[in-house]
């Protein structure tokens, strides 16, 4: 599966009964794919950062269970027991990473699919498993189309807002490209679209401490796609903006509350504050599956804390220890950027802008574009 021909990197390689995930911990020096045989393998790959990025996490989880049931030699149980089996596995997979809403949203939709299959007059375990597998495979296909739409809407928005629509430089944080999705990207998809249109002067990417997704992954993708790009230290972003080198900041999202508050990789909030100070528009690019209308604000978003080793050791915790023994560590994986700092939220259905009260009405937007 690829979002852009043979040149786009694939984080997820799937065919019926087989799933391989690119081990992103080893990039950019080594390209290794891990075989995922069941939901337990999927859970470990997500929790251990083999695969990351909210859309990719959801799809990898769904497909890991699809592979498991595809390879059943036989299921000794009733149709109701097949549904219970799938539901329990989905709940287990959701526990791998709690902050990204896409995974929980995917699980909820897949539960509805198998519930509908159970209600069918022809319901039997095999038909329920088949319905689940088809739904999981459709998620893989739909993600690429969704990301390309985000790229189109986002590039148009940035050009409309830029002083020079034919010459833009954009700063991004963490990794939101083909490695974080099924094959195209959200925020990095917008950058890719600008480059394709011939109007991108330069993309700037932060190193994204402490796991270094920017220097290891985003930089790798930008070089791979031959996009003019520069890597900066996280702490250099304010100076870059002060020098007038940035026309816009665009990031992804792991969860967006109904008021527009957005959880994304730690350091995003700092970038938004810097952008506000320097009069630079700050955008979020994410599929509607990243929106959680059940949350009234970002205060309700659960923030995952990562292992202390990511700060204590080199290479995001994978190398030798560098910090003083005995030091305590606070290592949140995400922070929440208040809606007041966000100029627009770019989705596959269009751009969510603020109303006359300078507030996002995401609920009304979602109802309008989905009909629900």
């Amino acid at each position: 599966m690829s979002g852009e021909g043979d040149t786009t990197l694939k984080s997820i390689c799937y065919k019926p009964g087989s799933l391989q995930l690119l081990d992103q911990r080893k990039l950019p020096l080594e390209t290794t794919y891990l075989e995922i045989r069941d939901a337990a393998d999927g859970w470990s790959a997500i929790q251990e950062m083999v695969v990351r990025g909210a859309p990719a996490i959801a799809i990898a989880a769904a497909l890991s269970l699809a592979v498991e049931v595809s390879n059943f030699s036989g299921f000794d149980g009733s149709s109701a027991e097949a549904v219970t089996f799938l539901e329990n596995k989905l709940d287990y997979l959701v526990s791998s990473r709690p902050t990204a809403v896409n995974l929980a949203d995917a699980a909820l939709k897949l539960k509805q699919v198998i519930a509908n299959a159970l209600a069918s007059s022809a319901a039997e375990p095999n038909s329920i498993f088949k319905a689940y597998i088809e739904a999981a495979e459709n998620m893989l296909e739909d993600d690429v189309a969704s990301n390309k739409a985000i790229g189109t809407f986002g590039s148009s928005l940035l050009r409309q807002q830029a002083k020079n629509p034919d010459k833009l430089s954009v700063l991004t944080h963490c990794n939101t490209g083909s490695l974080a999705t099924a094959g195209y990207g959200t925020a990095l998809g917008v950058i890719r679209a600008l480059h394709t249109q011939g109007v991108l002067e330069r993309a700037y990417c932060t190193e994204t401490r402490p796991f270094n997704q920017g220097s290891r992954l985003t930089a790798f993708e930008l070089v791979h796609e031959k996009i003019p790009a520069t890597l900066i230290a996280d702490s250099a972003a304010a100076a870059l903006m002060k020098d007038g080198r940035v026309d816009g900041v665009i990031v992804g999202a792991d969860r967006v509350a109904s008021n527009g508050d957005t959880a994304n990789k730690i350091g995003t909030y700092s970038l938004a504050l810097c952008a506000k100070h320097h009069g630079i528009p700050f955008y979020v690019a994410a599929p509607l599956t990243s929106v959680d209308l059940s949350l009234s604000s970002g205060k309700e978003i659960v923030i995952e804390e990562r292992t202390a080793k990511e700060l204590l050791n080199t290479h995001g915790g994978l190398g030798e220890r560098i910090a003083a023994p005995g030091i305590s560590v606070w290592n949140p994986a995400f922070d929440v950027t208040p809606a007041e700092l966000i100029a627009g939220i770019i989705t596959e259905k269009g751009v969510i802008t603020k109303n006359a009260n300078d507030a996002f009405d995401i609920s009304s937007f979602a109802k309008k574009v989905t009909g629900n």
Side-chain angles (χ1 to χ4, degrees):
M1 183 78 219
S2 174
E4 195 166 274
D6 293 332
T7 65
T8 302
L9 294 164
K10 300 178 184 179
S11 63
I12 300 171
C13 291
Y14 172 81
K15 60 183 179 180
S18 174
L19 173 64
Q20 292 184 322
L21 299 178
L22 178 62
D23 190 346
Q24 298 184 31
R25 302 169 300 180
K26 297 184 178 181
L27 290 174
L29 301 180
E30 184 178 336
T31 302
T32 302
Y33 283 86
L34 299 183
E35 192 75 31
I36 305 299
R37 299 177 179 84
D38 52 30
D41 284 351
W43 190 98
S44 296
I46 294 167
Q47 210 281 327
E48 295 172 10
M49 303 284 276
V50 169
V51 61
R52 19 71 47 214
I57 286 171
I59 294 165
L63 291 176
S64 70
L65 181 52
V67 167
E68 180 172 347
V69 298
S70 291
N71 294 322
F72 277 161
S73 56
F75 181 78
D76 185 18
S78 66
S79 297
E81 288 170 332
V83 169
T84 300
F85 171 84
L86 289 170
E87 289 180 338
N88 289 341
K89 289 286 187 176
L90 286 169
D91 289 340
Y92 164 68
L93 285 162
V94 169
S95 72
S96 59
R97 306 254 346 240
T99 301
V101 71
N102 306 62
L103 177 51
D105 179 77
L108 187 64
K109 290 176 179 175
L110 290 167
K111 286 181 181 180
Q112 187 60 55
V113 167
I114 58 180
N116 292 342
L118 179 62
S120 169
S121 58
E124 58 178 353
N126 285 341
S127 65
I128 291 169
F129 290 145
K130 181 180 179 182
Y132 174 86
I133 293 168
E134 289 177 351
E137 290 175 346
N138 286 338
M139 286 183 172
L140 180 65
E141 298 288 339
D142 291 346
D143 187 69
V144 174
S146 170
N147 286 188
K148 287 186 175 181
I150 289 172
T152 299
F153 284 120
S155 60
S156 176
L157 176 65
L158 264 68
R159 294 188 70 181
Q160 289 173 12
Q161 302 298 321
K163 294 178 181 178
N164 183 349
D166 297 321
K167 189 178 181 182
L168 291 85
S169 290
V170 182
L171 171 65
T172 192
H173 185 58
C174 198
N175 177 254
T176 56
S178 58
L179 296 175
T181 63
Y184 190 80
T186 53
L188 202 57
V190 174
I191 291 173
R192 179 180 281 118
L194 290 169
H195 175 62
T196 299
Q197 294 164 16
V199 300
L200 181 72
E201 182 175 29
R202 184 154 297 272
Y204 291 95
C205 62
T206 60
E207 58 183 344
T208 322
R209 288 278 301 150
F211 207 66
N212 301 317
Q213 295 99 320
S215 54
R216 291 190 302 106
L217 307 179
T218 303
F220 181 54
E221 287 199 55
L222 291 167
V223 170
H224 180 84
E225 298 289 343
K226 296 181 173 58
I227 295 173
T230 299
L231 174 68
I232 66 168
D234 290 5
S235 53
L240 186 76
M241 294 182 197
K242 185 179 180 181
D243 280 354
R245 300 189 186 188
V246 178
D247 297 299
V249 180
I250 186 163
V251 301
D254 287 83
R255 190 179 294 246
V256 181
S258 60
N259 70 337
D261 291 351
T262 298
N264 193 52
K265 182 58 56 184
I266 192 73
T268 303
Y269 180 29
S270 298
L271 286 181
L273 288 169
C274 286
K276 183 74 171 180
H277 177 76
H278 292 96
I280 298 170
F282 180 95
Y283 304 105
V284 170
L288 280 176
T289 52
S290 294
V291 174
D292 189 346
L293 293 176
S294 71
L295 303 183
S296 61
S297 76
K299 294 179 181 179
E300 301 172 58
I301 297 176
V302 176
I303 299 298
E304 172 190 354
E305 266 200 62
R306 299 286 299 172
T307 173
K309 287 184 178 180
E310 291 181 353
L311 287 177
L312 297 174
N313 293 26
T314 61
H315 305 299
L318 301 176
E320 63 182 9
R321 186 181 178 110
I322 55 172
I327 189 68
S328 62
V329 168
W330 182 52
N331 185 26
F334 307 92
D335 56 27
V336 175
T337 298
E340 64 192 65
L341 299 176
I342 300 171
I345 300 171
I346 305 159
T347 78
E348 75 277 23
K349 299 295 184 180
V351 179
I352 307 174
T353 55
K354 292 180 177 178
N355 57 29
N357 297 321
D358 199 32
F360 290 113
D361 188 352
I362 299 179
S363 179
S364 294
F365 177 88
K367 289 178 181 178
K368 180 180 178 181
V369 299
T370 64
N372 297 326

